[in-house]
Amino acid sequence: MAARRVSSLLSRSFSASTPFLCRSQGRNLNNGSRIVRRFGTSSAAEEVISPSVKVSYTKLLIDGNFVDAASGKTFPTLDPRTGEVIAHVAEGDAEDINRAVKAARKAFDEGPWPKMTAYERSRIMLRFADLVEKHSEELAALESWDNGKTYEQAITAEIPMLARLFRYYAGWADKIHGLTVPADGNYHVQTLHEPIGVAGQIIPWNFPLLMFAWKVGPALACGNTIVLKTAEQTPLTAFYVGKLFLEAGLPPGVLNIVSGFGATAGASLASHMDVDKLAFTGSTDTGKVILGLAANSNLKPVTLELGGKSPFIVFEDADINKAVELAHFALFFNQGQCCCAGSRTYVHEKVYDEFVEKAKARAIKRVVGDPFKKGIEQGPQIDSKQFQKVMKYIRSGVESNATLECGGSQVGDKGYFIQPTVFSNVKDDMLIAQDEIFGPVQSILKFRDVDEVIRRANDTRYGLAAGVFTKSLDTANRVSRALKAGTVWVNCFDVFDAAIPFGGYKMSGNGREKGIYSLNNYLQVKAVVTPLNNPAWI
């Protein structure tokens, strides 16, 4: 499949679900039972759909084998729709990280992977991509079940992109090379781009398979071996694709997968003295801890993709209907659990009132329920902790005197579903405009002119992404260059092509993932200098 624009696959609404909706709105946060009925929640009241997939892999993948944790411990992974246990998974800790690193070190120092031709490495990655497509339905069902994202999102966008990413990096494997460098004097100088060694990787729970690809793809293309720690909330699909990699011919020990908790397995990986490089995606606060552990151990280099509070700026010349739909997608996609979500919606004062009314109507129309049901746009939040965090920010918005246009309550009485929530009259100093909520809460702010909105958009500790919606090329060029963000989408949002680099400014992290830039994270550059005896030319 060719590289796809995520927004084109996922932003469409489903007219079949409209009859379940009521378009009235209210602003009383405490009247929860009344508010719940305003949203399309029919499936939340029904029995949940049983996924047609078997959980086959729940043990750690170390040195080519699925094994129990050294301690024998397991922990439950939960269904966000109900809070019930899906399966019990091996709970890795420091001893298991040691075992995995030892296997990865042996595979790198003694095994065939780094010594294999780049072409053969690429063939294994291509075979893996084929297997992903062959097992796409099982992978999509597991991802939706363990994470709560809609099955349609998983099967139409994320699983195809998983295969696309590995084909992209397979294409890079035999195109990584150094340079011949002219130098003053009789010397032949060449640079070698060498694999860095054992890469430790820690992935988050919001996009488990895509983050697996963002990390594992470039590391394997460069010839490294890997110890990957899954998020404790979503371990199931990583084990499944680990099995597919073995089936594709990946040698034992090249990819090791450990499930466990951050304070034990994650901390052990970050501080391990025999890990040569670390990559982490997650919150900014945890990123600081990871960076400290890496520095205080063997000073291993660290790539961080962290939090965001991305501005989505709507100028007065915008097509309001299109802007409303795109802003809605930018925020509510993936239940709002997206690091680059357009969570500060800045709208020009001349079109502000119209935008707010239409944004409210669109949010009320959004259909919430069992992510396996056709026509559902929004599933549950990942777990109880995240659910409570989002609800805390909603209460904060009300207490700060922002106007609650719609939403604000739980959907149903089971699982972690939250109504699509819209606040207007939001000020920059409110917590809902400053903190990363990571949930379905849209904050709409008013601005007067270009200089003002640039200043306010940049007045944040984050710098991951931004959106600009305007018909003026001059405005688009001026604002996109002025915004301090790693990605600026103009008249689009969440366009994630395999070749487009992604990463942040400021406290949104360092380094880039995807594209050619991601290869630099997993290579060492070595200069080799050789004297030339009576050269014909220099």
Side-chain angles (χ1 to χ4, degrees), residues 302-454:
V302 181
T303 304
L304 299 171
E305 197 264 278
L306 306 177
K309 193 68 177 175
S310 302
F312 184 97
I313 305 170
V314 180
F315 287 92
E316 61 183 303
D317 64 342
D319 180 316
I320 294 302
N321 291 329
K322 291 181 180 178
V324 165
E325 186 62 35
L326 191 60
H328 179 88
F329 171 73
L331 187 282
F332 291 102
F333 171 56
N334 205 53
Q335 293 68 250
Q337 297 171 153
C338 189
C339 55
C340 58
S343 51
R344 290 183 293 152
T345 306
Y346 286 99
V347 181
H348 194 278
E349 61 182 3
K350 290 184 179 180
V351 294
Y352 184 84
D353 291 341
E354 179 185 1
F355 185 96
V356 168
E357 286 303 311
K358 291 182 175 181
K360 175 175 62 178
R362 178 63 181 92
I364 290 171
K365 240 175 80 174
R366 190 171 183 82
V367 188
V368 183
D370 186 342
F372 283 98
K373 184 176 180 181
K374 186 175 177 59
I376 293 298
E377 295 178 278
Q378 180 177 312
Q381 308 310 120
I382 185 67
D383 59 15
S384 177
K385 181 180 178 181
Q386 186 63 23
F387 173 87
Q388 295 298 336
K389 175 188 173 184
V390 175
M391 296 305 295
K392 180 192 73 172
Y393 278 111
I394 291 174
R395 291 192 295 271
S396 171
V398 173
E399 292 164 0
S400 300
N401 293 320
T403 302
L404 179 63
E405 296 288 347
C406 64
S409 294
Q410 182 175 7
V411 174
D413 57 4
K414 182 188 293 185
Y416 311 119
F417 299 88
I418 296 177
Q419 293 173 338
T421 299
V422 176
F423 281 103
S424 64
N425 297 314
V426 178
K427 308 301 180 186
D428 292 330
D429 60 355
M430 295 179 181
L431 286 180
I432 59 172
Q434 293 183 345
D435 291 356
E436 185 179 39
I437 299 174
F438 229 60
V441 181
Q442 184 177 32
S443 298
I444 308 178
L445 304 91
K446 185 185 297 184
F447 74 91
R448 292 182 179 179
D449 57 49
V450 175
D451 289 334
E452 175 198 326
V453 77
I454 290 173

Side-chain angles (χ1 to χ4, degrees), residues 240-294:
Y240 196 108
V241 293
K243 176 64 174 177
L244 296 184
F245 252 124
L246 295 177
E247 187 177 338
L250 193 71
V254 174
L255 174 62
N256 305 274
I257 302 172
V258 177
S259 53
F261 294 93
T264 51
S268 297
L269 185 58
S271 60
H272 204 287
M273 293 296 292
D274 206 21
V275 170
D276 300 306
K277 189 267 181 305
L278 193 67
F280 170 80
T281 295
S283 73
T284 295
D285 288 344
T286 305
K288 291 179 181 179
V289 175
I290 292 290
L291 197 59
L293 291 171

